[in-house]
Amino acid sequence: MKELITLGEFVIQQQHKHAAATGDLSQIFGAIRLASKLVHREINKAGIADITGAAGLENIQGEQQQKLDVYANEKFKAALAARGLVCGIASEEEEHFVEFDHELNKGSKYVVLIDPVDGSSNIDVNVAVGTIFSIYKRKSAADGPVELDDFLQPGTEQVAAGYVIFGTSTMLVYTTGDGVNGFTFDPSIGVFYLSHPDMQAPESGNIYSVNEGNYIHFHDGVKRYIKYCQEYDPATNRPYTSRYIGSLVADFHRNLLKGGIYFYPSYANNPNGKLRLLYECNPIAWLAEQAGGRATDGNGTRILDIKPTELHQRTPFFVGSVSMMDDVERFMVQERARLERMAELA
Ligand code: P6P
């Protein structure tokens, strides 16, 4: 029988592969593991524990805050603060970053950015949701206060990133820059086991994920790509299948396994789309690249290269298999060229 490796064992093995590794990430992953188990437990008894339904509060995004959002946010904050290695956290559920100013956290050198429950509107309808996290080393002096710039770092500076998908099973998928590995939770003993070693994004696929309800608002390049996905051409495996769950983690996870593309473009009066750069797009983009895929803003800018200016800033987001990303960008480039020609003629 193949030897089962736990997440904790795997992180320690990885740490020994990198001489510079200090074991800090092992500790931080221990906190993420703990909080994930607590959220798993609550999600799996939602409705019984009256955890579903809005908490009657609104978060900074002006969205109805689901009780699970509040619960998950508190559990991840508490678990990360208790390890004494994280000096602060930025969360979709917090307007400003939160400094951990306990004595234990003085001099800590990491910051964590998190979307505690991405896709939370799906909780009440029993559809998969996920936690997305991104870890950086602070830039400010270790003996000083945490600063906003500690969180406003480009995605290329991440030291670790991942997600937990609470679906038919709970999985944790992460990277520290040495590939992507997936771990499945065994609730009977409360352990995450390595189930998807060295995850590779298929070079192509036939699944496209976009909210086509926004079609009339999309720019022509996006509209043309969607029509391209729907055309009949057996030679290029089209028409593709449309799959959109409304939960980024679930759509991305399926596309990572099967091949596909997810995109949330700018639309109507949302020039930067909907998704948040720091705690949704950057971690997912790094995972995609580490697994052999790509992630851009649809206009040729690599997501990881974007220099953040605000904690909750949004970006158009295109992520997936390389050949499908090449295709969508071809349509976007053609659209930009057409608009430039029209501007010249005007
Ligand atoms: P829409 C969830 O709110 C989320 O941030 C992603 O998880 C998901 O892909 C997207 O927004 C869904 O947004 O506008 O299609 O409902």
Side-chain angles (χ1 to χ4, degrees):
M1 178 178 165
K2 194 171 69 166
E3 182 200 355
L4 289 175
I5 301 176
T6 69
L7 172 58
E9 291 163 349
F10 185 85
V11 173
I12 289 168
Q13 285 178 9
Q14 291 292 88
Q15 164 195 323
H16 286 301
K17 281 166 66 174
H18 302 284
T22 61
D24 291 352
L25 284 181
S26 306
Q27 285 283 345
I28 296 173
F29 271 95
I32 292 172
R33 265 202 321 273
L34 172 63
S36 300
K37 293 176 187 177
L38 293 170
V39 174
H40 166 90
R41 183 187 63 184
E42 291 309 313
I43 283 184
N44 284 281
K45 64 182 184 183
I48 302 166
D50 186 31
I51 200 84
T52 58
L57 308 171
E58 278 202 351
N59 65 15
I60 184 254
Q61 328 293 346
E63 294 164 345
Q64 271 298 315
Q65 203 160 18
Q66 302 286 337
K67 282 184 181 177
L68 192 70
D69 283 345
V70 177
Y71 177 87
N73 193 49
E74 293 310 314
K75 293 306 174 191
F76 275 96
K77 276 197 299 186
L80 289 164
R83 300 289 165 128
L85 290 164
V86 176
C87 55
I89 189 169
S91 167
E92 179 173 48
E93 302 306 328
E94 305 275 356
E95 185 169 1
H96 306 292
F97 68 82
V98 176
E99 180 169 14
F100 294 153
D101 55 5
H102 318 302
E103 201 49 42
L104 186 67
N105 303 90
K106 293 289 181 210
S108 301
K109 61 183 180 184
Y110 297 94
V111 294
V112 177
L113 296 99
I114 191 163
D115 184 354
V117 181
D118 177 70
S120 53
S121 57
N122 286 315
I123 296 165
D124 289 352
V125 293
N126 214 10
V127 168
V129 295
T131 298
I132 311 172
F133 61 89
S134 175
I135 304 174
Y136 292 82
K137 281 190 178 170
R138 72 186 295 181
K139 290 170 58 180
S140 56
D143 57 357
V146 182
E147 296 170 3
L148 181 57
D149 276 352
D150 290 320
F151 299 92
L152 300 183
Q153 300 186 53
T156 49
E157 297 301 305
Q158 293 176 98
V159 295
Y163 59 80
V164 186
I165 177 169
F166 303 99
T168 46
S169 66
T170 291
M171 274 191 70
L172 187 148
V173 177
Y174 86 92
T175 185
T176 53
D178 194 16
V180 177
N181 292 281
F183 300 80
T184 299
F185 184 55
D186 177 345
S188 67
I189 52 173
V191 173
F192 283 93
Y193 281 114
L194 178 63
S195 54
H196 295 67
D198 192 23
M199 297 174 80
Q200 295 291 320
E203 192 274 338
S204 186
N206 70 341
I207 297 172
Y208 72 101
S209 306
V210 61
N211 183 341
E212 295 190 59
N214 295 326
Y215 181 85
I216 55 166
H217 300 304
F218 290 148
H219 299 302
D220 282 354
V222 175
K223 288 182 178 175
R224 289 201 176 99
Y225 177 68
I226 291 173
K227 289 305 169 198
Y228 171 82
C229 293
Q230 296 168 345
E231 287 166 353
Y232 179 74
D233 178 11
T236 53
N237 211 9
R238 288 179 290 142
Y240 295 154
T241 296
S242 174
R243 285 284 183 276
Y244 191 73
I245 298 171
S247 187
L248 167 61
V249 170
D251 280 316
F252 176 75
H253 185 73
R254 179 205 53 246
N255 292 352
L256 178 60
L257 292 173
K258 293 178 176 272
I261 186 170
Y262 169 101
F263 46 111
Y264 207 107
S266 56
Y267 63 101
N269 51 355
N270 290 277
N272 293 314
K274 173 185 180 184
L275 299 188
R276 309 292 179 173
L277 171 62
L278 289 179
Y279 41 77
E280 289 180 316
C281 300
N282 268 337
I284 295 295
W286 196 25
L287 287 163
E289 291 194 3
Q290 281 289 308
R294 284 208 300 121
T296 71
D297 67 352
N299 276 327
T301 301
R302 182 182 175 222
I303 290 292
L304 296 182
D305 289 337
I306 297 174
K307 175 67 182 86
T309 54
E310 292 168 26
L311 215 47
H312 300 288
Q313 77 182 67
R314 304 173 192 267
T315 176
F317 190 48
F318 294 69
V319 61
S321 298
V322 167
S323 70
M324 300 178 86
M325 288 292 293
D326 293 346
D327 288 339
V328 70
E329 289 186 344
R330 188 170 69 249
F331 285 90
M332 305 292 279
V333 167
Q334 287 168 0
E335 168 67 6
R336 279 200 300 278
R338 188 179 70 83
L339 292 173
E340 282 160 10
R341 279 197 304 277
M342 286 175 63
E344 285 163 10
L345 295 174

